[in-house]
Amino acid sequence: MKIAVCDDEKIFSEMMREVLEQYFRSLDVEIRTFSSGTALLREVKKDPYAYFCIFLDIEMPGLSGIQTAEELKKERIPVPVILLTSHEEYALRGYEVGAFRFLVKPVNLEKLYHALEAAEKQKVLEQRLIVSQDGREYYLPLNQILYFKSENVYIVIYTETGHYLIRKKLKEQCKELPELQFFQVHRSYIVNMSKVQAYDGKEVVLADGTRVPVGRGRRAAFQKAAARFLKECG
């Protein structure tokens, strides 16, 4: 994956590169630096899904950071934007362009790490599931899936906008999903933890009102999974 750092100050960009490489040292991460918003937009538009996040300086000559962020928002590029500036009073501008986080220069490492951790959690919720149906491929955002239901050798995937039928075993599907976000509550059901609205000890109620049974032998594990999800993603 790639991380973009866009700042007209070369020394700062290189410092950010070193900090980010140290943070992600065990992962395959490429840090790309840009000195202008125009250069950043040109590259990110080529492959937006390759980027984990973008660090964007607000005060740059030419296309400002705010204007660059506005363009990213207009193009619906799904990458968290973390705005950077030496002037804290500019923070409110970040809300106007849907900035993910705001960091003041010189960057506090603890706040930087918190922003990266939040971006990692956000990415989990933005992952997609590729589903083939009727000769077409659908890219379903995981955060729109409500639950999976086993129907013999098939699985029905219920989403906020419809449902899809695929030929697969529920056990196999469970292994392919993020462990933190999805939990198999019953031999026939996997639920999206972010869609759980209530639990009465026997059933979970999902965001659309659907009630899904929780197997007797899975109830204690479900409560632990729910507590972990709320702690890390709530």
Side-chain angles (χ1 to χ4, degrees), residues 103-117:
L103 295 176
V104 178
K105 294 180 177 179
V107 174
N108 176 284
L109 287 183
E110 185 176 356
K111 291 183 178 179
L112 171 62
Y113 295 158
H114 285 164
L116 290 170
E117 290 169 1

Side-chain angles (χ1 to χ4, degrees), residues 3 15 24 102 154-155 165 191 230:
I3 292 177
M15 181 275 291
F24 289 103
F102 180 89
Y154 294 94
I155 295 174
L165 182 70
V191 299
L230 291 173

Side-chain angles (χ1 to χ4, degrees), residues 147-151 154-158 163-166:
Y147 65 101
F148 298 80
K149 182 180 180 182
S150 174
E151 297 279 3
Y154 294 94
I155 295 174
V156 184
I157 305 172
Y158 290 89
H163 62 275
Y164 303 82
L165 182 70
I166 61 173

Side-chain angles (χ1 to χ4, degrees), residues 2 16 28 37 82 100 119 121 134 146 166 173 187 214-215:
K2 299 177 183 178
M16 285 291 291
D28 183 19
I82 301 173
F100 180 72
K121 292 172 184 175
D134 300 327
L146 295 164
I166 61 173
Q173 183 64 74
R187 64 182 181 181
V214 179

Side-chain angles (χ1 to χ4, degrees), residues 10 21 26 38 40-42 51 59 76 78 85 93 112 117 122 130-131 139 145 156 158 169 179 189 195 212 214 216:
K10 187 174 181 180
E21 286 178 345
S26 62
T38 302
L40 170 75
L41 289 170
R42 184 170 55 247
Y51 285 84
E59 304 145 81
R76 297 184 178 180
T85 185
R93 298 294 305 279
L112 171 62
E117 290 169 1
Q122 180 76 8
I130 302 175
V131 173
Y139 296 81
I145 294 175
V156 184
Y158 290 89
K169 293 181 179 179
E179 182 181 352
Y189 294 92
K195 302 300 181 182
V212 176
V214 179
R216 186 185 300 274

Side-chain angles (χ1 to χ4, degrees), residues 166-178:
I166 61 173
R167 188 181 177 92
K168 183 180 287 188
K169 293 181 179 179
L170 199 68
K171 187 176 181 180
E172 294 174 356
Q173 183 64 74
C174 195
K175 291 179 180 178
E176 298 174 4
L177 297 168

Side-chain angles (χ1 to χ4, degrees), residues 125-144:
L125 297 177
E126 290 178 351
Q127 291 179 27
R128 292 171 181 261
L129 181 69
I130 302 175
V131 173
S132 297
Q133 184 170 283
D134 300 327
R136 297 181 61 185
E137 282 194 343
Y138 296 88
Y139 296 81
L140 308 180
L142 293 188
N143 62 356
Q144 291 184 14

